[in-house]
Amino acid sequence: MKIDLNIFNEIISSIKNYKNLLVAFSGGIDSMVLIDILSLLRDKKIKNNLSFKFRAIHINHFLNKNSKKWAIYCKNECKKRNILYNIYEINLSKIKNNIEEKARNYRYKIFKKNIKSHEILLTAHHQDDQAETLLLSLKRGSGPLGLSSMNLNSKFYKNRIIRPLLNCSKIQIKNYAKYRKLNWIYDKSNDNEKFDRNFLRINIIPLFTKRWPKFNYLVSRTARLCYEQEKLLNDLLKKELNKLIKYDGSLYFKPLINMKKNKIFFLLRRWIHKNKIKMPSEKQINIILNEIILSKKKSMPIFHLSNKIISKYKNKLYILEKQECIKLDNTIILWKKKNNKLSLPENLGIIYKFFEKNIYYSEYFFLKKNKNKEFFMIFPIKIFIRLPNLNENIFIKFRNKKKSFHTIIKNKKYSLKKIFNKMSVPPWWRNRIPLLFYNNNLISALGLFVSDFAYPIINNKILKIIWKNNIKN
């Protein structure tokens, strides 16, 4: 048996422009072939003009009783080839539903955390995987973007992800492994037909390839054509979509209502795709259009998509994390004066306070005018206020529907609800914004405004408050 040089050529052409690679290494036949070829190319045992470094990452999901042995096996295979490696563990043994999808999501989160800024992620997906992915997209009723399946080279957060074996068949990979006398891990869960991908691989695709031997190749070509069509549409409508997407990532949907349905669907899909969510089916897009966008109900409609929530407020669609809808009613935190930082619940970040002198605080805020020609003081994240008096304690509270907070701005009394309405703060965030109190006086809704109770500043002694969070809204 001769070695198939095409498999080398595919990998060489895929990585020729990159110097530092991170390889997802499961220990299965596909990733074993990939690291074996990369090590031969790196060591110049196969003639090439490449100059690169690579390391491997193995993730133990604890979904098999042999998973620890597999991790040790991968470690030894890397040592044998002088490959730097990392092993990560995520215990998914208690997960009962959607195991495949959840395991993949956790894997890619680890890849994201582990990959360095100058590296490219490599996975061992091949032509047969592409056929399975496209058929699964057909089953879900996905549009052209979903049918474009996996790409040879695509964006991975701030890096790139490359699938150098995507144009290679499983037969090519098996033949290479036999020629090189490689050993690999075989996961018996791959025989479990309750998983859709395994069902296709075992029962459906063999029937297609028996009748049409080039089926997987042709499916792969179809995926590429769908990708090219989607890319063209995206280029044509990119400016229009970007105008609809607001600074907080929401989608202004009012102009969509007068568009043709196919254009609405395309723009919604692209917006959802930009938010790293699995491509929705036509049925799901219809629900978003009819039950969210066009809904006349006074109550705020929501739709669960993957592990996110889609809702609307004032002609804008928002994609929310589920934790963003957790309420913090009745939460009151005493911020001890001697402590300079305070950690907030529900991953809302940390608040810091600093004592400053001789700062002209008026330079640090600006005024915003609303439709009623009233002015509010608006702060990005940082605020400058007076120090609390000796008899005043500092509290952090959160809005409670049963208890209405009031404050004074420009000598006028306002309810917190009215201020939030005028500032277009979405309802799901209103009871998650930290409210800074001195005793019973509302000083500031952090990130939004300060009240008259924050002044006057005496002897230029200023308290600077900074709220550090990862909230894009």
Side-chain angles (χ1 to χ4, degrees), residues 175-218:
N175 287 342
Y176 176 89
K178 287 177 183 176
Y179 177 84
R180 289 280 293 164
K181 297 180 181 178
L182 300 177
N183 296 312
W184 59 86
I185 293 166
Y186 185 76
D187 186 351
K188 288 185 179 179
S189 69
N190 289 331
D191 299 327
N192 188 343
E193 294 181 22
K194 78 173 184 179
F195 299 120
D196 290 343
R197 191 174 285 275
N198 292 347
F199 176 78
L200 287 173
R201 184 185 302 129
I202 295 166
N203 297 304
I204 305 302
I205 292 178
L207 290 175
F208 288 153
T209 52
K210 185 177 179 181
R211 175 128 181 140
W212 304 291
K214 291 188 176 182
F215 175 79
N216 287 342
Y217 165 75
L218 295 170

Side-chain angles (χ1 to χ4, degrees), residues 34 40 57 73 109 140 155 180 182 216 226 231 273 314 323 348 400 406:
L34 180 57
L40 291 178
I57 180 170
Y73 175 78
K109 281 179 183 178
R140 288 195 298 267
K155 193 174 180 181
R180 289 280 293 164
L182 300 177
N216 287 342
C226 285
K231 190 174 182 302
H273 182 66
K314 289 194 174 181
Q323 68 177 30
L348 284 176
N400 187 333
H406 290 75

Side-chain angles (χ1 to χ4, degrees), residues 101-125:
E101 182 181 347
K102 288 175 181 176
R104 182 186 181 280
N105 290 339
Y106 278 111
R107 260 199 317 277
Y108 278 82
K109 281 179 183 178
I110 291 175
F111 294 154
K112 181 189 174 185
K113 287 181 181 178
N114 192 268
I115 195 167
K116 296 174 183 176
S117 59
H118 59 281
E119 287 182 323
I120 302 299
L121 178 64
L122 262 63
T123 66
H125 293 103

Side-chain angles (χ1 to χ4, degrees), residues 355-371:
F355 297 96
E356 303 274 3
K357 287 184 179 180
N358 300 319
I359 292 179
Y360 293 100
Y361 60 90
S362 60
E363 295 177 4
Y364 289 89
F365 65 81
F366 59 92
L367 296 175
K368 182 177 179 181
K369 194 174 184 181
N370 61 30
K371 289 180 181 177

Side-chain angles (χ1 to χ4, degrees), residues 23 45 50 67 74 152 214 226 229 294 306 311 362 372 415 453:
V23 184
K45 291 183 179 179
L50 300 176
S67 59
C74 290
L152 184 67
K214 291 188 176 182
C226 285
Q229 176 187 312
L294 301 177
S306 295
S311 190
S362 60
N372 297 329
S415 70
F453 294 119

Side-chain angles (χ1 to χ4, degrees), residues 241-294:
L241 179 62
N242 288 341
K243 285 180 182 178
L244 297 175
I245 298 175
K246 300 304 176 183
Y247 73 96
D248 57 2
S250 62
L251 182 76
Y252 180 60
F253 61 74
K254 198 171 181 181
L256 268 62
I257 295 170
N258 297 319
M259 295 179 186
K260 290 184 178 179
K261 195 173 182 179
N262 56 359
K263 188 175 180 180
I264 296 172
F265 277 28
F266 177 84
L267 292 170
L268 285 174
R269 281 199 177 101
R270 289 307 309 177
W271 174 65
I272 289 168
H273 182 66
K274 273 178 172 284
N275 284 274
K276 306 289 189 299
I277 301 177
K278 187 170 70 176
M279 194 51 52
S281 65
E282 184 178 12
K283 181 181 177 181
Q284 290 172 319
I285 291 288
N286 260 313
I287 291 172
I288 294 168
L289 176 61
N290 295 313
E291 297 183 19
I292 305 291
I293 293 177
L294 301 177

Side-chain angles (χ1 to χ4, degrees), residues 36-78:
D36 188 70
I37 292 175
L38 288 171
S39 61
L40 291 178
L41 293 172
R42 178 199 61 191
D43 300 337
K44 303 296 182 182
K45 291 183 179 179
I46 300 292
K47 189 176 179 181
N48 68 87
N49 296 320
L50 300 176
S51 175
F52 67 92
K53 296 177 183 178
F54 77 100
R55 60 190 183 97
I57 180 170
H58 174 80
I59 299 171
N60 180 2
H61 301 85
F62 288 95
L63 291 174
N64 190 288
K65 62 181 180 181
N66 296 315
S67 59
K68 285 193 174 181
K69 292 180 181 178
W70 293 348
I72 294 168
Y73 175 78
C74 290
K75 174 182 173 181
N76 292 334
E77 289 296 321
C78 287

Side-chain angles (χ1 to χ4, degrees), residues 147-158:
L147 295 179
S148 65
S149 305
M150 297 177 286
N151 299 314
L152 184 67
N153 186 330
S154 55
K155 193 174 180 181
F156 179 68
Y157 298 98
K158 294 181 181 179

